[in-house]
Amino acid sequence: MASRKSSSKSRDENDKYSVLLPTYNERENLPLIVWLLVKYFGESGYDFEIIVIDDGSPDGTLEVAEQLQKIYGEDKILLRPRAKKLGLGTAYIHGIKHATGNFVFIMDADLSHHPKFIAEFIEKQQEGGFDLVSGTRYSGNGGVYGWDLRRKLISRGANYITQVLLRPGASDLTGSFRLYKKEVLERLVEQCVSKGYVFQMEIIIRARQLGYSIGEVPISFVDRVYGESKLGGNEIVSFLKGLLTLFATT
Amino acid sequence: MTKLLEWLLGVSAVVVAWGLLTFDLLGLRLPQAYRDVAWPMPMYLLLVFGCYSLATVGYRVATFNDCEEAAKELQAQIQEAKQDLQKRVEILIQRLINPGVELWPLAQLLKEMIRQRLIKVCRMAGTQASHVEHEPTRLC
Ligand SMILES: Nc1nc2c(ncn2[C@@H]2O[C@H](COP(=O)(O)OP(=O)(O)O)[C@@H](O)[C@H]2O)c(=O)[nH]1
Ligand SMILES: [Mg+2]
């Protein structure tokens, strides 16, 4: 049931959590992430729905999603596909429109974000009445699996520069495992102009600007297994572009 | 005010203070010792900031948590998930097809077709991802 509440300090029967899962070529991971989500939501007893936003994946992700819908029910798994790859930012916008929960989880479908943390996100949110709770790989027990020294150095360096230049008041800017109050997310998404994962940075900076409260939960990030580390010049250039744009405009 | 403006303001404040002291622009007739300290100050500040940055990043790289346990746990859960999904698919197939008509060849064929389709879910679960379509994009 759709319900709207500005803040809730204690567990509320009416709270519902919509999980947005953008997918592109995730047919191997989608059944697993859905299984894990159902498991952990089931254990913690919160009401939830999973919204799969597939962008016409050529590997047949949507077909797999349809089968999962048969297994878990159409009230739990919602399919909101788009015909072609239109990017992550618009995938979230598209997903929110169809969310019936008063809270929205955003996470990656590639198993790098583990659903075991959802209960911690929710508890954190309730504890401080936060407008958004962000998963962080960079503080507390947070961390990453599968990164070599070079990858760690690039990541820490980029994060440090971002912290110095933007002082965002959150330790993980590009991570996309987050819990939002739905109306807060709607408002933030309206304001953001960036594309790709710079969108994740912008959204948290705008949140600060608009005076929204931010909580953090340390998460372990088990990265997708890549054939080889492909992070190169292109990614660095687009990161710097995004960073400087935010530096000059926010 | 944008972050850029904040920075420009901060930097120009430092530059002005430095200029005032070093060249004694206000004519305060400061002792030479003051000027000698002020003159190389920006260089020192930069050096200190650079060292601090290197040390901070170095320390954070060295103490970056390797989530070995989390990876192991995930691998185990993937196996569990695949088995459970397989079971659910079997149940679904049973529900879709009345076991009483199993002898009827057409029903068998139909059953096999649905089975193949549903079983895809399980087969696809956890098979090695194709690397080509997923290049890392995030710098941090
Ligand atoms: N709907 C949709 N999902 C996408 C798109 N690009 C990436 N994704 C999904 O977004 C999540 C993060 O993408 P990923 O390739 O893992 O990015 P990385 O972790 O930064 O390397 C995954 O669940 C992808 O399947 C897109 O254009 N459209
Ligand atoms: Mg990923």
Side-chain angles (χ1 to χ4, degrees), chain A residues 22-24 26 53-55 82 85-88 91 108-110 221 224 226, chain B residues 134-138:
Chain A
T23 59
Y24 190 75
E26 302 287 3
I53 306 129
D54 185 64
D55 274 3
R82 300 186 299 175
K85 196 174 194 308
L86 296 169
L88 267 179
D108 292 353
D110 62 355
F221 179 95
R224 194 198 291 281
Y226 294 108
Chain B
H134 297 289
E135 285 165 20
T137 51
R138 245 167 270 194

Side-chain angles (χ1 to χ4, degrees), chain A residues 163-181:
Chain A
Q163 294 291 340
V164 169
L165 289 183
L166 302 179
R167 280 174 286 116
S171 56
D172 195 337
L173 283 137
T174 48
S176 47
F177 192 0
R178 293 181 188 152
L179 169 63
Y180 300 84
K181 286 180 182 169

Side-chain angles (χ1 to χ4, degrees), chain A:
Chain A
M1 289 300 103
S3 71
R4 271 163 187 272
K5 267 181 104 261
S6 53
S7 89
S8 72
K9 285 251 152 83
S10 63
R11 185 142 167 183
D12 192 319
E13 295 288 295
N14 294 322
D15 282 341
K16 179 171 177 178
Y17 297 86
S18 301
V19 181
L20 302 190
L21 283 183
T23 59
Y24 190 75
N25 287 346
E26 302 287 3
R27 67 159 193 219
E28 303 92 351
N29 292 320
L30 188 62
L32 301 172
I33 188 80
V34 166
W35 187 85
L36 285 166
L37 278 167
V38 171
K39 172 183 160 79
Y40 285 99
F41 268 113
E43 281 172 11
S44 54
Y46 297 106
D47 191 14
F48 74 102
E49 66 184 2
I50 299 168
I51 303 176
V52 180
I53 306 129
D54 185 64
D55 274 3
S57 302
D59 76 340
T61 304
L62 187 59
E63 199 187 328
V64 171
E66 281 161 2
Q67 309 300 326
L68 287 164
Q69 206 176 25
K70 288 204 187 92
I71 294 175
Y72 290 109
E74 293 185 4
D75 54 329
K76 287 286 170 256
I77 316 277
L78 284 74
L79 309 182
R80 297 292 176 264
R82 300 186 299 175
K84 60 177 199 274
K85 196 174 194 308
L86 296 169
L88 267 179
T90 54
Y92 297 133
I93 298 172
H94 182 72
I96 302 165
K97 280 192 214 137
H98 302 281
T100 64
N102 53 333
F103 286 97
V104 177
F105 269 104
I106 284 182
M107 62 194 293
D108 292 353
D110 62 355
L111 296 177
S112 54
H113 296 150
H114 199 298
K116 70 182 169 191
F117 294 109
I118 51 173
E120 282 173 52
F121 276 78
I122 293 171
E123 280 154 25
K124 186 83 192 177
Q125 192 283 322
Q126 292 177 344
E127 201 181 287
F130 292 110
D131 294 309
L132 86 89
V133 176
S134 173
T136 175
R137 298 160 290 174
Y138 298 115
S139 77
N141 291 325
V144 169
Y145 175 79
W147 282 9
D148 57 9
L149 194 67
R150 175 173 169 272
R151 188 76 183 77
K152 284 182 181 173
L153 187 65
I154 292 175
S155 174
R156 281 298 199 185
N159 186 262
Y160 180 77
I161 294 169
T162 313
Q163 294 291 340
V164 169
L165 289 183
L166 302 179
R167 280 174 286 116
S171 56
D172 195 337
L173 283 137
T174 48
S176 47
F177 192 0
R178 293 181 188 152
L179 169 63
Y180 300 84
K181 286 180 182 169
K182 188 183 169 195
E183 70 270 17
V184 170
L185 182 58
E186 280 169 339
R187 172 109 192 269
L188 287 172
V189 154
E190 262 169 37
Q191 305 244 331
C192 289
V193 292
S194 310
K195 298 244 151 35
Y197 68 97
V198 176
F199 175 84
Q200 301 294 352
M201 292 165 67
E202 181 174 3
I203 212 168
I204 213 149
I205 286 160
R206 300 260 179 229
R208 269 273 178 262
Q209 280 183 336
L210 293 171
Y212 289 126
S213 55
I214 302 173
E216 288 198 312
V217 170
I219 57 160
S220 54
F221 179 95
V222 179
D223 209 354
R224 194 198 291 281
V225 191
Y226 294 108
E228 60 195 272
S229 190
K230 295 226 181 62
L231 213 56
N234 267 346
E235 284 73 33
I236 295 179
V237 169
S238 74
F239 172 80
L240 288 178
K241 254 198 206 151
L243 179 61
L244 292 179
T245 310
L246 290 177
F247 184 60
T249 59
T250 65

Side-chain angles (χ1 to χ4, degrees), chain B residues 54-91:
Chain B
L54 282 180
T56 307
V57 171
Y59 176 77
R60 287 177 180 172
V61 169
T63 57
F64 211 150
N65 261 339
D66 282 312
C67 307
E68 302 278 349
E69 287 306 311
K72 265 189 223 139
E73 184 193 9
L74 180 63
Q75 279 316 312
Q77 285 182 327
I78 286 175
Q79 295 314 313
E80 198 189 334
K82 280 159 81 172
Q83 281 166 15
D84 185 62
L85 282 164
Q86 180 89 40
K87 230 168 43 203
R88 280 168 198 271
V89 167
E90 291 297 339
I91 292 168

Side-chain angles (χ1 to χ4, degrees), chain B residues 5-137:
Chain B
L5 272 175
E6 281 177 32
W7 269 81
L8 286 178
L9 239 103
V11 169
S12 30
V14 170
V15 168
V16 167
W18 174 78
L20 289 181
L21 285 176
T22 311
F23 305 110
D24 200 7
L25 296 177
L26 294 178
L28 296 173
R29 301 187 160 279
L30 294 167
Q32 186 62 34
Y34 278 44
R35 297 195 194 185
D36 289 347
V37 172
W39 166 242
M41 206 34 117
M43 238 10 232
Y44 285 149
L45 285 179
L46 267 179
L47 263 174
V48 168
F49 177 67
C51 289
Y52 169 80
S53 301
L54 282 180
T56 307
V57 171
Y59 176 77
R60 287 177 180 172
V61 169
T63 57
F64 211 150
N65 261 339
D66 282 312
C67 307
E68 302 278 349
E69 287 306 311
K72 265 189 223 139
E73 184 193 9
L74 180 63
Q75 279 316 312
Q77 285 182 327
I78 286 175
Q79 295 314 313
E80 198 189 334
K82 280 159 81 172
Q83 281 166 15
D84 185 62
L85 282 164
Q86 180 89 40
K87 230 168 43 203
R88 280 168 198 271
V89 167
E90 291 297 339
I91 292 168
L92 206 62
I93 292 167
Q94 291 311 315
R95 223 185 288 149
L96 282 171
I97 293 171
N98 181 354
V101 293
E102 251 178 7
L103 290 174
W104 190 32
L106 211 62
Q108 276 297 341
L109 194 68
L110 192 64
K111 177 175 172 176
E112 199 44 40
M113 273 169 63
I114 296 171
R115 202 182 130 82
Q116 286 303 328
R117 223 173 113 77
L118 284 170
I119 226 94
K120 257 192 186 166
V121 175
C122 302
R123 250 198 291 118
M124 285 173 176
T127 52
Q128 195 56 255
S130 40
H131 303 303
V132 205
E133 296 126 357
H134 297 289
E135 285 165 20
T137 51

